[in-house]
């Protein structure tokens, strides 16, 4: 009756029956454990609270059961609350409760070590399970040093007869070294294991094979796999996949396919391929008894026949990477997956898109996205990014942008790789529209929380901006792309300034704010706006106003700061000497304020005496003091700008 109540998720009824029966403590712990295995933590907690009310005195079986239930349900915080509750009640947990607590919190090494110290402070001696859990925590945290200390300690305890190390201890130590690619240390643990008379289990063998595979030791990995078979240990599919992955990473593609076809067995081969003889690429056949380096497969093939090998989706995904640019072979693998009742996942489709694009079939790669959705799998960010990469590599930037917009319509958030792939797509900008597109992507990237390195984008923007004054396809004077010192700030506002201006209409460009910029950055901002004006002028958009360049603010009756004078002098030389524009200094006394703060940081329209009243736009200024300030500005006259635009248009210069 209690079992039925538990399976029907009826904790109250189960508790009621438990209270009526003898051995209620054992029944409560069983009920809690069952709810934990069913991943029903709420019901387990109700049973736990009921046990506290209906039973007299603490019961360690129940405490351990509820802590284990928290671990099975993934709520480690609740296990900590239960532990704190025990301490508040002055109840000292026993070794088994501490072990359960450490196991549930093994992902947090510091907390696990604190529990271990508390256990020792209470006079409890750690058992083998305690040490194994500590090794597990070290493995999760990647702390090889702690793991080695613990291993030395347990080896000492074993030497004096206190403990006897088990397969879990050795397997965990092997995995600790395997995860950090210390394959030689992992093999040493294997020797310790064999010397102690402990046979490696599947986990130990898998970790050993993985340790060698991760560092590219394919021959060593295959040798370990053969030893595993000779030892009579049944490999799981993960072992087979590790071997295949090692071959693929070492670019031994034929070898991977040969092993895969052999492991599947002749019966499966006949059902899929219609015959017993499978011919591989370059004329290789399955009858070959040796690999490319003369390594014999005879033991592997003969012993593998004793163990079932069931390929998984991961297996086929590994083999897809071995197809290189052979799209038809990859497509055949996808078809084979369906025949053996496996469903291609996101990785399968993304890899197929990459292979299709690498083979030059761009339309086919884009069609796979549609096929993927028709198959009931919504393309994820990896699939879209792969398709975008294919378009970029084929220099089809417009299609890449189209996919980027499609991602956003489907509310798929681009990642850093997506943004970087798009921004690196161009080596040279050709038009204002293209620059605006890339700057919009850049701004999306910053808004999404990514902090990209701006150097490559700044170089492209600089190339585009300098095109305004380039007559013979060479840069001018000190303002060359080699002058990087002023452009390499940790968080440069240059691109944000340019982006803000280029998003405005020509008629809105009444002022260019270069406050806070270096002379190199200010130059690029001004050239960007002028280039936008020039390109739009060619499309029939005229400029009807003077343009103001805001350099910076100084206190009244004070000499402007040195950096303001440097920027002002550089901008005057640029506009007058290089562009032939008429520039008029426009110093204006404005509302009293030590430091001017404008609501619109990029588009300012302060009250200038040099500009007619009809062109004046209101601004919002915050005042801190009553001392007057002077705003340093340059004005580019509308007449000279008109003549400059006519010259540029007639000369058709970029």
């Amino acid at each position: 009756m209690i079992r039925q109540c538990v399976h029907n998720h009826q904790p109250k009824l189960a508790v009621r029956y438990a209270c009526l029966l003898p051995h209620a403590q054992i029944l409560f712990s069983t009920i809690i454990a069952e709810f934990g295995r069913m991943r029903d933590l709420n019901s387990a907690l109700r049973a736990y609270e009921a046990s506290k009310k209906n039973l007299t005195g603490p019961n360690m079986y129940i405490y351990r059961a509820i802590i284990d239930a928290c671990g099975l349900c993934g709520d480690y915080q609740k296990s900590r609350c239960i532990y704190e509750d025990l301490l508040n009640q002055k109840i000292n947990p026993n070794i088994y409760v501490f072990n359960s607590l450490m196991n549930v919190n093994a992902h947090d090494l510091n907390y696990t070590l604190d529990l271990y110290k508390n256990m020792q402070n209470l006079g409890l001696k750690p058992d083998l399970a305690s040490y194994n859990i500590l090794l597990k925590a070290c493995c999760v945290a990647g702390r090889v040093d702690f793991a080695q200390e613990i291993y030395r300690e347990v080896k000492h305890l074993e030497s004096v007869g206190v403990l006897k190390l088990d397969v879990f201890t050795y397997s965990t130590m092997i995995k600790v070294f395997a995860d950090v690619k210390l394959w030689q240390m992992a093999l040493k643990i294997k020797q310790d294991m064999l010397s102690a008379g402990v046979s490696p289990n599947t986990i130990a063998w898998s970790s050993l094979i993985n340790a060698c595979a991760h560092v590219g030791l394919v021959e060593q990995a295959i040798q370990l796999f053969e030893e595993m078979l000779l030892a009579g240990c049944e490999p799981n599919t993960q072992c087979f996949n590790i071997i295949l992955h090692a071959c693929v990473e070492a670019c031994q593609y034929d070898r991977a396919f040969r092993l895969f076809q052999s492991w599947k067995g002749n019966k499966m081969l006949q059902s899929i391929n219609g015959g017993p003889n499978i011919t591989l690429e370059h004329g290789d056949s399955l009858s070959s008894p040796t690999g490319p380096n003369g390594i014999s497969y005879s033991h592997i093939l003969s012993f593998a026949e004793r163990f079932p090998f069931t390929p998984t989706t991961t297996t086929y995904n590994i083999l897809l990477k071995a197809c290189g640019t052979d799209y038809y072979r990859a497509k055949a693998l996808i078809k084979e997956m369906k025949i053996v009742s496996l469903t291609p996942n996101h990785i399968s489709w993304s890899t197929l898109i990459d292979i299709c694009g690498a083979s030059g079939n761009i339309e086919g790669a884009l069609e796979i996205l549609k096929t993927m959705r028709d198959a009931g799998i919504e393309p994820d960010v990896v699939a879209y990014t792969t398709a975008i990469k294919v378009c970029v590599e084929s220099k089809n930037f417009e299609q890449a942008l189209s996919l980027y917009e499609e991602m956003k319509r489907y509310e798929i958030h681009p990642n850093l790789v997506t943004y970087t792939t798009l921004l690196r797509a161009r080596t040279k900008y050709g038009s204002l529209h293209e620059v605006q597109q890339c700057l919009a992507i850049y701004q999306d990237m910053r808004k999404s929380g990514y902090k990209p390195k701006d150097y490559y984008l700044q170089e492209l923007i600089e190339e585009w901006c300098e095109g305004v004054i380039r007559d013979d396809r060479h840069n001018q004077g000190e303002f060359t792309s080699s002058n990087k010192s002023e452009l390499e700030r940790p968080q440069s506002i240059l691109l944000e300034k340019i982006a803000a201006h280029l998003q405005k209409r020509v008629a809105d460009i009444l002022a260019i704010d270069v406050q806070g910029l270096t002379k190199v950055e200010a130059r690029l901002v001004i050239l960007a706006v002028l280039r936008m004006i020039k390109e739009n002028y060619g499309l029939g958009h005229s400029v009807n106003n003077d343009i103001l360049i805001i350099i910076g603010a100084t206190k009244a009756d004070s000499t402007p700061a040195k950096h303001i004078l440097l920027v002002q002098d550089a901008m005057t030389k640029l506009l007058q000497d290089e562009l032939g524009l008429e520039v008029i200094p426009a110093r204006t006394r404005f509302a009293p304020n030590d430091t001017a703060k404008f609501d619109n940081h990029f588009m300012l329209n302060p009250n200038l005496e040099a500009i007619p009243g009809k062109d004046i736009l209101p601004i919002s200024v915050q005042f801190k003091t009553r001392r007057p300030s002077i705003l340093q500005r340059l004005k580019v006259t509308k007449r000279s700008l008109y003549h400059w635009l006519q010259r540029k248009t007639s000369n058709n210069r970029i």
Side-chain angles (χ1 to χ4, degrees), residues 354-641:
D354 193 33
I355 294 171
C356 189
S359 67
N361 187 0
I362 310 304
E363 293 181 0
L366 298 177
E367 185 64 25
I368 293 172
L369 275 179
K370 183 177 180 300
T371 304
M372 184 178 178
R373 186 170 278 114
D374 292 341
I377 300 179
E378 289 296 321
D380 60 357
V381 63
V382 176
Y384 270 107
T385 302
T386 304
I388 288 172
K389 180 176 77 76
V390 167
C391 295
V392 166
E393 289 176 349
S394 65
K395 303 190 183 303
N396 191 343
F397 188 61
E398 293 304 319
Q399 183 62 59
L401 282 177
S402 176
L403 288 172
Y404 172 68
E405 295 299 330
E406 185 178 312
M407 284 181 73
K408 296 197 290 186
R409 286 198 302 272
Y410 282 106
E411 297 184 351
I412 299 171
H413 301 291
N415 59 21
L416 181 61
V417 178
T418 314
Y419 288 120
T420 304
T421 302
L422 284 166
L423 290 175
R424 289 179 177 172
R426 293 189 180 278
T427 57
K428 184 176 182 180
Y429 293 131
S431 69
L432 169 64
H433 178 63
E434 293 168 355
V435 173
Q436 289 173 326
Q437 286 177 325
C438 288
L439 282 173
I441 294 169
Y442 172 82
Q443 287 185 310
D444 286 348
M445 187 178 189
R446 294 290 291 269
K447 290 175 184 176
S448 297
Y450 296 107
K451 295 181 179 180
K453 292 182 179 179
D454 303 336
Y455 67 92
Y456 61 89
L457 188 58
Q458 286 180 347
E459 286 181 357
L460 293 173
I461 293 291
E462 182 182 0
E463 180 79 12
W464 180 78
C465 294
E466 292 288 348
V468 174
I469 58 173
R470 188 175 302 136
D471 295 330
D472 300 318
R473 302 288 180 183
H474 63 274
N475 290 329
Q476 301 290 324
E478 60 178 319
F479 299 100
T480 65
S481 57
S482 61
N483 189 358
K484 300 297 180 187
S485 59
E486 296 186 54
L487 289 175
E488 293 181 346
R489 300 187 189 183
Q491 294 182 345
S492 175
I493 62 173
L494 171 63
L495 295 177
E496 295 294 336
K497 286 255 187 181
I498 293 176
H501 282 299
L502 298 192
Q503 288 174 347
K504 303 293 182 180
R505 296 179 299 111
V506 175
D508 294 332
I509 304 296
L510 299 176
I512 304 174
D513 178 19
V514 296
Q515 293 184 95
L517 298 181
T518 66
K519 62 181 181 180
V520 178
E521 292 173 333
R523 173 189 179 89
L524 292 179
V525 171
I526 291 173
L527 290 178
V529 174
L530 290 176
R531 175 144 189 173
M532 180 183 69
I533 292 173
K534 182 185 81 69
E535 292 190 19
N536 285 327
Y537 181 79
L539 298 176
H541 301 284
S542 60
V543 178
N544 300 317
N545 297 291
D546 299 327
I547 293 204
L548 306 175
I549 301 173
I550 296 92
I551 307 295
T554 59
K555 296 178 182 178
D557 303 324
S558 298
T559 304
K562 181 179 179 181
H563 75 274
I564 292 179
L565 294 176
L566 286 174
V567 172
Q568 181 172 307
D569 182 60
M571 294 310 97
T572 302
K573 289 180 179 178
L574 166 67
L575 296 168
Q576 286 186 170
D577 302 344
E578 297 185 45
L579 297 176
L581 294 167
E582 183 182 5
V583 181
I584 301 175
R587 291 182 47 173
T588 303
R589 180 174 302 197
F590 65 102
N593 184 4
D594 275 13
T595 304
K597 285 191 175 182
F598 302 99
D599 287 345
N600 188 339
H601 184 63
F602 295 116
M603 301 305 300
L604 307 178
N605 298 278
N607 183 7
L608 278 180
E609 297 173 2
I611 301 180
K614 64 180 180 179
D615 290 333
I616 297 174
L617 295 178
I619 62 171
S620 298
V621 181
Q622 298 177 356
F623 303 105
K624 291 185 178 179
T625 70
R626 301 304 301 172
R627 295 184 61 191
S629 297
I630 299 296
L631 199 61
Q632 304 292 331
R633 268 167 270 212
L634 298 175
K635 182 179 76 168
V636 180
T637 63
K638 176 181 64 176
R639 182 183 63 182
S640 68
L641 185 61

Side-chain angles (χ1 to χ4, degrees), residues 218-219 221-223 225 229 239-248 252-265 269 280 285-286 288-292 295-301 304 309 311 315 319 329:
V218 182
E219 314 304 336
I222 290 180
Q223 182 181 340
F225 183 71
L229 297 173
C239 295
F240 292 98
N241 288 344
I242 292 170
I243 293 292
L244 293 177
H245 181 71
C247 293
V248 171
Q252 298 179 15
Y253 302 139
D254 286 348
R255 190 180 201 179
F257 276 104
R258 183 180 295 108
L259 290 171
F260 171 69
Q261 300 288 6
S262 301
W263 291 337
K264 287 194 305 183
L269 295 180
L280 301 178
S285 66
L286 290 177
S288 175
T290 59
I295 302 298
S296 173
Y297 298 146
S298 57
H299 289 299
I300 296 179
L301 301 183
F309 170 63
T315 310
L319 290 171
R329 190 174 197 178

Side-chain angles (χ1 to χ4, degrees), residues 338-357:
K338 297 176 181 177
I339 292 175
V340 296
S341 302
L342 292 174
T343 303
N345 59 14
H346 288 90
I347 297 175
S348 313
W349 290 112
S350 298
T351 307
L352 188 63
I353 292 170
D354 193 33
I355 294 171
C356 189

